[in-house]
Amino acid sequence: MPRPKKKQELADILAPFEEQWVALSPDQTEVVASGDNLDEVERQLKSEEIHEVIFMKVPSSDKIFVPHLA
């Protein structure tokens, strides 16, 4: 019996996009667009008619991100 595929880790998916803006699919399994700024990513999405995404800026792997909760 074949083993089920393991869901790819988000960190692995984002690794090639350090310091770039990305648009993730709603299920966070793939980057559907990327660029140096948010406008560039939005242009790609518009040309491909993709409407539901999650935007984020991918930090460098040598930086630590700690969100501030007020």
Side-chain angles (χ1 to χ4, degrees), residues 25-41:
S25 60
D27 63 1
Q28 301 178 17
T29 60
E30 67 177 314
V31 172
V32 294
S34 66
D36 292 329
N37 58 58
L38 196 51
D39 289 335
E40 187 177 330
V41 176

Side-chain angles (χ1 to χ4, degrees), residues 5-6 13 17 19 23 26 28 39 41 50 54 59-61 64:
K5 276 190 171 181
K6 218 175 159 184
I13 293 168
F17 301 97
E19 299 292 322
Q28 301 178 17
D39 289 335
V41 176
I50 299 171
I54 300 166
S60 175
S61 63
I64 297 172

Side-chain angles (χ1 to χ4, degrees), residues 3-70:
R3 291 181 10 187
K5 276 190 171 181
K6 218 175 159 184
K7 186 176 177 182
Q8 190 175 12
E9 295 291 324
L10 186 57
D12 295 336
I13 293 168
L14 296 176
F17 301 97
E18 284 187 19
E19 299 292 322
Q20 293 185 33
W21 279 94
V22 298
L24 290 169
S25 60
D27 63 1
Q28 301 178 17
T29 60
E30 67 177 314
V31 172
V32 294
S34 66
D36 292 329
N37 58 58
L38 196 51
D39 289 335
E40 187 177 330
V41 176
E42 288 178 321
R43 279 193 298 275
Q44 289 177 33
L45 295 171
K46 187 175 182 180
S47 70
E48 296 179 29
E49 296 187 18
I50 299 171
H51 304 289
E52 293 185 35
V53 296
I54 300 166
F55 291 106
M56 70 175 288
K57 173 85 184 241
V58 180
S60 175
S61 63
D62 64 349
K63 294 181 183 172
I64 297 172
F65 173 71
V66 179
H68 173 71
L69 301 174

